[in-house]
């Protein structure tokens, strides 16, 4: 029995190996790009879901008080940086804003005159509160509270508490 010489298939075998390694590297690059795009879409989807929940809550609050114009309908909370050196990440800002907004949910449906007269009370509710987010403590202070017609807007600052 005769065995064919290996030198005959050497180039074919090396080109097959090169093609196989190119396919593996190409699929790894494709999967990394695909995973990055999927992660971006996932983050964006959660942002839109949160915005959708907020809008539905606003619609419910407006429907409750649509015939009563002297009642508070909307509470807006804005977190502004205390100084430019200590910027807080966006997800922590959103969590702090939503926590403050949920604490001030009791204002919705109350008369605007009552809320205007008791602004120091609401300021004391928020000021010097400590929030623990992602194993860090944040102290919140009120910068200003503004009541415009049926909308209460609160500007706050948050600073990481050093222990």
């Amino acid at each position: 029995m005769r065995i064919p010489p290996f030198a005959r298939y050497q180039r074919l075998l090396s080109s097959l190996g090169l093609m196989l390694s190119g396919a593996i590297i190409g699929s790894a690059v494709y999967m990394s790009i695909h995973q990055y795009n999927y992660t971006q879409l996932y983050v964006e989807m959660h942002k839109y879901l949160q915005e959708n929940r907020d809008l539905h809550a606003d619609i419910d609050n407006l429907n409750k008080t649509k015939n009563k114009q002297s009642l508070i309908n909307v509470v807006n909370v804005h977190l502004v940086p205390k100084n430019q050196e200590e910027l807080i990440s966006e997800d922590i800002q959103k969590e702090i804003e939503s926590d403050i907004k949920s604490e001030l949910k009791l204002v919705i449906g109350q008369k605007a005159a009552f809320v205007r007269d008791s602004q120091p009370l609401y300021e004391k509710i928020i000021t010097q509160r400590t929030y623990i987010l992602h194993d860090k403590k944040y102290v919140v202070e009120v910068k200003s509270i503004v009541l415009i017609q049926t909308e209460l807007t609160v500007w706050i600052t948050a600073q990481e508490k050093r222990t």
Side-chain angles (χ1 to χ4, degrees), residues 14-155:
S14 65
S15 61
L16 181 67
L18 187 60
M19 188 175 81
L20 186 61
S21 64
I24 292 171
I25 292 170
S27 65
V29 169
Y30 173 77
M31 282 307 293
S32 66
I33 292 171
H34 176 72
Q35 187 65 31
Y36 175 78
N37 288 338
Y38 184 76
T39 303
Q40 292 298 322
L41 286 174
Y42 184 77
V43 168
E44 194 172 323
M45 180 191 70
H46 279 286
K47 184 175 81 173
Y48 287 141
L49 287 174
Q50 180 64 36
E51 184 179 342
N52 190 12
R53 281 192 292 269
D54 291 342
L55 290 175
H56 277 292
D58 287 346
I59 288 172
D60 291 340
N61 293 333
L62 289 173
N63 283 337
K64 284 182 199 173
T65 60
K66 67 181 172 185
N67 294 330
K68 304 170 188 170
Q69 291 301 317
S70 65
L71 300 180
I72 301 295
N73 294 330
V74 179
V75 174
N76 293 324
V77 178
H78 303 288
L79 190 132
V80 292
K82 195 165 193 172
N83 52 25
Q84 295 298 330
E85 291 84 35
E86 296 182 20
L87 292 177
I88 300 173
S89 66
E90 186 175 331
D91 59 336
I92 293 175
Q93 285 182 4
K94 294 295 181 190
E95 287 185 40
I96 291 174
E97 287 176 0
S98 67
D99 288 346
I100 299 290
K101 197 172 186 179
S102 67
E103 286 181 16
L104 291 177
K105 196 169 263 196
L106 62 103
V107 173
I108 295 174
Q110 291 185 358
K111 291 186 178 182
F114 176 73
V115 173
R116 184 186 65 237
D117 293 339
S118 59
Q119 278 186 2
L121 172 69
Y122 297 120
E123 189 172 330
K124 286 181 184 178
I125 289 174
I126 301 169
T127 301
Q128 297 301 320
R129 291 289 303 260
T130 302
Y131 293 96
I132 299 173
L133 301 168
H134 304 291
D135 298 330
K136 293 182 181 177
K137 293 181 181 179
Y138 295 94
V139 178
V140 175
E141 294 181 14
V142 176
K143 274 196 116 152
S144 65
I145 298 176
V146 177
L147 177 64
I148 301 174
Q149 292 182 355
T150 62
E151 185 174 330
L152 180 70
T153 306
V154 180
W155 281 275

